[in-house]
Amino acid sequence: MSATTLKPHQKELFGHPVGLYVLFFTEMWERFSYYGMRAILVIYMIAEASHEDGPGLGWTNLEAYQLYGWYVMLVYVISIPGGILADKVLGQRKTVMLGAVILVLGHGTLAIESDWAFFVGLTLIIIGVGCLKPNISTMVGGLYKKGDIRRDKGFSIFYIGINLGSLLATSIIGVVVAEWGWHAGFGLAGFAMLFGLAVYIYGQKYIEHVGNKPTAEENSNDVSIVKLFSKIFKSPIQLVIFIVLLALSIYAGFTFEGVDHWGYGALFIFLSFVVGLLMMIYKSLESNIMKDRFLVLLLSFLLVIVFWGAFEQAGGLMSVYTETKTDRMLFGYLIPTPMFQGLNAGFIILLAVWVANIWAKRKLKNKEASSLFKMATGTIIMGLGFVFMIFAVREYDANGSSGMQWLVLAYLFHTIGELSSSPVSLSFVTKLAPIKYASLMMGLYFAATGLGGKVAGILGEKSVSFGEYTIFSGIVIFTVVFGLLVILLLKPLKRLTHGAEDNERIMHNDETEGFELADPDINN
């Protein structure tokens, strides 16, 4: 077929479908809007009316950390119904469009100087990200036929767009806030999302063949969560466990001290249903091999919660520390706080190939390079980054301020840890999840990531009572001990996977230049 007769969705640019670049720029601007808003969210909440960047909400640190934890958790948890909406009703392409529109409205609402606009804007952003995030990456995979060796490189290109958007946002948003105020920063995030929506609308002809509405036959083959969970009423032991957990959750949640006790009540009830669902999945598995792999998969979710519970301090406790206790003067210029969050994206762009090649070379030498080992090692490396925050706190206690070098080193270690752990975690889910529950386990992976965000908020809250030194030290100790424990248990855990990764091989030459990613956007 000649080039002149190719349909738009069949056209290629630099060896990849044009649709990849449509999704690249859509996601780049969406990540610009998300990380731009995230970079100033907590410091806006704690800013007083007399703040140099304009009036903030004047909340206490405790209140800001509470909202931040709920926000990060919900952004990921709402991805579950966002994925279901796409899988069952609209298809990924239309659900991404819906999410982009809602995000434009959400960021635009945040630009309005009013308390109601703040809460409505955040709610819309949570819903918008929930619709867009889990579906746009799926569409990237859909651009390539099964077995197409370009798929991993396509995801690598897509991953660059994610981090480029984050880097641009955190580099620019602080300057805008310093010059024109908080709401100008929120408004800039809205304009960025509007650009992303425009790109997506323009590029529809290049992606018309992916992410379409599922057929009735495809829907009929999916596992019904309701039907699966309903089987618990025919399983006495599991039913008793579920009822006890539910009763304890209701009691604990609604007697919880604090203004957000209702939130914890809902969270504990949700977790009780999740536990009940997991018990029924385990019981329904037909072989011991599948059951063993399922148990290892649940352990990997614990690693995910621990990792993101520590990593998400970037937008919470570390952001506040940067704003209030760090000497940010460089050559007579005050570096805006949001720029420091951009270090993560910058380091990813610089180091991603290097880290991927280190792991590839280990595997070529037949050294330990399993997914669990990478996840545990990444968690340890990321946790060790908080050692530099301990040094920062000690310097602040001695001199009244701490140097920027501690933040740079902390973000460097966090990024190396992320590149070791995050890219392989979702791939691990695809290897171990039972085929008929694959989509459901993906949703639970998002939920685990969201719970990590909630843990991050809780740790921020505790810093108000115990201080940053205690929290940073606790993160170092827990992440290192937990990661080492997984490594110590690696042999029996690998036996329980029953060779799920034994058939993998390392590609040579230019094929090792890509990232080892199944879905690079999953945590970014």
Side-chain angles (χ1 to χ4, degrees), residues 373-433:
F373 182 74
K374 291 178 185 178
M375 292 169 69
T377 303
T379 300
I380 293 171
I381 294 172
M382 183 274 304
L384 289 174
F386 286 94
V387 170
F388 301 107
M389 295 308 300
I390 295 173
F391 292 154
V393 174
R394 290 173 66 89
E395 184 177 339
Y396 175 82
D397 291 340
N399 304 323
S401 68
S402 61
M404 293 180 288
Q405 72 273 13
W406 305 122
L407 288 167
V408 175
L409 290 169
Y411 279 116
L412 173 62
F413 272 65
H414 291 181
T415 302
I416 295 174
E418 179 189 1
L419 289 170
S420 298
S421 176
S422 178
V424 301
S425 56
L426 181 66
S427 177
F428 193 59
V429 175
T430 64
K431 296 169 188 172
L432 266 67

Side-chain angles (χ1 to χ4, degrees), residues 9 29 78 94 109 134 178 207 245 297 324 337 355 386 409 438 464:
H9 71 266
W29 288 116
I78 296 300
K94 289 184 178 179
T109 304
I207 55 175
L245 284 175
L297 189 58
T324 60
T337 295
V355 172
F386 286 94
L409 290 169
V464 176

Side-chain angles (χ1 to χ4, degrees), residues 472-487:
F472 291 144
S473 299
I475 291 174
V476 173
I477 294 169
F478 189 83
T479 52
V480 171
V481 170
F482 190 80
L484 287 175
L485 181 61
V486 173
I487 291 174

Side-chain angles (χ1 to χ4, degrees), residues 35-41 43 53 163 165-179 182 314-315 318-319 322-323 326 328-330 333-347 404 407-408 411 415:
Y35 280 105
M37 186 278 296
R38 174 180 175 268
I40 62 176
L41 179 61
I43 54 177
D53 293 329
N163 289 286
S166 174
L167 180 61
L168 288 173
T170 48
S171 300
I172 297 172
I173 207 83
V175 177
V176 172
V177 169
E179 188 70 26
W182 301 107
M318 287 180 66
S319 180
T322 305
E323 174 75 6
T326 302
R328 294 179 282 123
M329 294 298 298
L330 183 65
Y333 174 73
L334 181 66
I335 299 178
T337 295
M339 280 192 176
F340 288 90
Q341 291 189 41
L343 288 169
N344 174 240
F347 283 139
M404 293 180 288
L407 288 167
V408 175
Y411 279 116
T415 302

Side-chain angles (χ1 to χ4, degrees), residues 198-261:
V199 170
Y200 191 68
I201 292 173
Y202 169 78
Q204 285 296 294
K205 60 186 177 181
Y206 298 108
I207 55 175
E208 61 183 9
H209 61 304
V210 295
N212 291 309
K213 183 178 178 179
T215 64
E217 182 181 355
E218 290 171 334
N219 275 336
S220 65
N221 292 330
D222 288 343
V223 175
S224 170
I225 296 176
V226 176
K227 288 182 179 179
L228 180 63
F229 181 81
S230 66
K231 293 180 181 179
I232 199 170
F233 295 103
K234 299 178 182 179
S235 305
I237 296 177
Q238 286 80 6
L239 181 60
V240 170
I241 295 173
F242 169 69
I243 291 174
V244 171
L245 284 175
L246 187 61
L248 290 174
S249 297
I250 294 172
Y251 174 78
F254 290 98
T255 58
F256 194 88
E257 294 182 4
V259 295
D260 54 352
H261 65 87

Side-chain angles (χ1 to χ4, degrees), residues 33 97-111 121 124-125 128 186-187 189-198:
S33 67
M97 179 78 77
L98 176 64
V101 171
I102 294 174
L103 279 169
V104 170
L105 295 174
H107 286 294
T109 304
L110 276 182
L124 290 172
I125 290 172
F186 290 132
F191 276 115
M193 191 61 244
L194 191 59
F195 288 143
L197 176 60

Side-chain angles (χ1 to χ4, degrees), residues 275-344:
V275 171
L277 183 61
L278 291 175
M279 287 191 296
M280 298 318 299
I281 291 175
Y282 181 81
K283 188 174 181 179
S284 72
L285 298 177
E286 293 126 8
S287 69
N288 289 331
I289 291 178
M290 295 173 68
K291 289 183 176 181
D292 288 344
R293 288 177 173 175
F294 185 74
L295 292 176
V296 177
L297 189 58
L298 295 184
L299 173 64
S300 75
F301 287 170
L302 291 179
L303 268 169
V304 169
I305 293 172
V306 171
F307 183 91
W308 294 104
F311 187 90
E312 282 293 343
Q313 299 303 321
L317 181 56
M318 287 180 66
S319 180
V320 172
Y321 188 90
T322 305
E323 174 75 6
T324 60
K325 297 183 177 181
T326 302
D327 180 6
R328 294 179 282 123
M329 294 298 298
L330 183 65
F331 304 124
Y333 174 73
L334 181 66
I335 299 178
T337 295
M339 280 192 176
F340 288 90
Q341 291 189 41
L343 288 169
N344 174 240

